[in-house]
Amino acid sequence: MKNICKVFMLCIILIAAYHTNAQVNTTPRPYLFNNFSAYIPTVITELDKVFLSTEGSSIQLNFANNFSFTGTVFSSVQRYSNLSSVIIKLPALHNSLLSISKRINDDRTITYVGRIINEQYADGYELKKDNSGNYSFDKIKTEDLIQDF
């Protein structure tokens, strides 16, 4: 009798496992930035302009390669004396979010980090600093970074 129960439970588990479709990507997300360059140089003056804006204000940003847009400052936070973060909503890019943080290091140098992402699209941009100290937005695949959408 015990063996029949074990076999029956094994059959139920196998049937349940066979019909389970966990983490199946049914529809791939489209790419938003196909028409833009994979590398967009950025000047520090444009990045600094972000931190002069206040929450709720409109801001115009102009980067290289005809990558310019107007957005609304969604959030502007001074977390610590050396860390500020700003989030800008970009209606022209299907309400993508531009998030930029500015950190003042111990040696008084400034480091910027940021991303442009939209959860409905499979690509975005990440702000990176090269060996020469120049910043640029480099294209990334958010589908590789964000698995929960």
Side-chain angles (χ1 to χ4, degrees):
M1 186 68 169
K2 289 183 181 180
N3 288 337
I4 294 175
C5 287
K6 289 179 182 178
V7 170
F8 181 69
M9 287 301 289
L10 180 63
C11 289
I12 290 176
I13 291 171
L14 289 174
I15 291 170
Y18 179 75
H19 290 289
T20 302
N21 293 324
Q23 298 183 359
V24 174
N25 189 3
T26 55
T27 57
R29 292 181 289 156
Y31 290 94
L32 177 62
F33 298 105
N34 278 341
N35 297 330
F36 294 101
S37 174
Y39 170 84
I40 300 172
T42 305
V43 292
I44 292 177
T45 55
E46 287 297 308
L47 297 175
D48 279 335
K49 185 168 46 170
V50 169
F51 297 98
L52 300 175
S53 58
T54 59
E55 199 168 310
S57 65
S58 181
I59 185 169
Q60 170 75 33
L61 296 171
N62 300 305
F63 300 113
N65 300 341
N66 294 325
F67 192 65
S68 62
F69 45 80
T70 302
T72 304
V73 178
F74 185 71
S75 172
S76 179
V77 178
Q78 176 83 31
R79 296 212 185 268
Y80 304 103
S81 62
N82 65 339
L83 180 63
S84 301
S85 296
V86 177
I87 299 174
I88 300 170
K89 194 172 195 176
L90 308 170
L93 297 175
H94 301 273
N95 290 324
S96 295
L97 296 177
L98 166 62
S99 171
I100 297 181
S101 294
K102 173 181 168 181
R103 184 181 71 222
I104 301 172
N105 303 313
D106 292 337
D107 61 355
R108 306 308 292 165
T109 59
I110 296 176
T111 303
Y112 297 94
V113 294
R115 286 193 172 141
I116 301 174
I117 58 172
N118 188 323
E119 67 182 33
Q120 297 173 353
Y121 294 92
D123 59 348
Y125 280 98
E126 184 172 25
L127 185 63
K128 293 186 179 181
K129 184 178 181 180
D130 64 14
N131 294 337
S132 304
N134 299 318
Y135 284 93
S136 66
F137 281 105
D138 295 350
K139 196 177 285 190
I140 58 171
K141 290 186 177 182
T142 58
E143 64 187 355
D144 295 340
L145 301 174
I146 305 170
Q147 298 293 324
D148 296 330
F149 297 113

